Amino acid sequence: MYEQYWGLREKPFRKTPDPRYLFLNEAFEEALERLEFAVEEMELALLTGEVGSGKTLLTRALVDRVGERYEVGMILNPRLSPRQFLRTTAMELGVGEPRYHASDLLDQIHARLLALDEAGRLERSSLLPARTEPDERDADASGGG
């Protein structure tokens, strides 16, 4: 309908935003650069904003920008229960059949992260705490040993 009337090559309105149409004003450029920096430095980042402010569009632009260098998962629903969050995380990481119980989900997520690490898809430092056992000095320092 719109395409023919306005002479457009594709539909102008979609359910998901298309990063090809992102206008990088100063605020969006800075946000995108900060997000990219967080990805490259393996830091945690949180992107917040009002409904319709462009968070999903900016996130999709980030995924396009980092390309194949990183394994990317996106959790777009902000109202998940803790179990739903773990299940969604597991699915985004490529776990085939996420389990129901939180402890099982955490085991699956950990196993998937180790598999990604072994395949060279994770930085060594990102799994170091998960792969090492506390040594005796840690136990002595905490009064546990």
Side-chain angles (χ1 to χ4, degrees), residues 134-145:
D135 64 18
E136 293 175 25
R137 289 173 289 162
D138 293 336
D140 290 341
S142 65

Side-chain angles (χ1 to χ4, degrees), residues 12 33 43 61 71 89 91 95 98 115-116 121 126-128 140:
E33 286 175 4
E43 297 287 334
E71 193 81 23
T89 300
M91 286 187 288
V95 171
L116 290 170
R121 300 287 293 173
S126 65
L127 284 183
L128 189 58
D140 290 341

Side-chain angles (χ1 to χ4, degrees), residues 13-18 56 60:
F13 306 107
R14 297 178 181 191
K15 288 183 181 181
T16 57
D18 188 337
T56 302
R60 292 185 189 284

Side-chain angles (χ1 to χ4, degrees), residues 35-47:
L35 289 170
E36 187 174 5
F37 179 79
V39 167
E40 290 173 354
E41 296 297 316
M42 308 279 300
E43 297 287 334
L44 182 63
L46 177 65
L47 180 61

Side-chain angles (χ1 to χ4, degrees), residues 56-98:
T56 302
L57 178 60
L58 201 56
T59 304
R60 292 185 189 284
L62 175 66
V63 170
D64 285 353
R65 190 176 273 195
V66 299
E68 296 295 317
R69 295 178 293 165
Y70 298 95
E71 193 81 23
V72 176
M74 291 178 27
I75 300 174
L76 300 174
N77 183 351
R79 298 188 187 274
L80 298 173
S81 71
R83 183 177 301 131
Q84 288 171 324
F85 178 79
L86 288 175
R87 284 181 60 81
T88 302
T89 300
M91 286 187 288
E92 288 294 316
L93 287 171
V95 171
E97 295 182 23

Side-chain angles (χ1 to χ4, degrees), residues 14-28:
R14 297 178 181 191
K15 288 183 181 181
T16 57
D18 188 337
R20 294 179 299 161
Y21 301 113
L22 173 63
F23 172 70
L24 282 176
N25 62 20
E26 189 175 322
F28 271 73

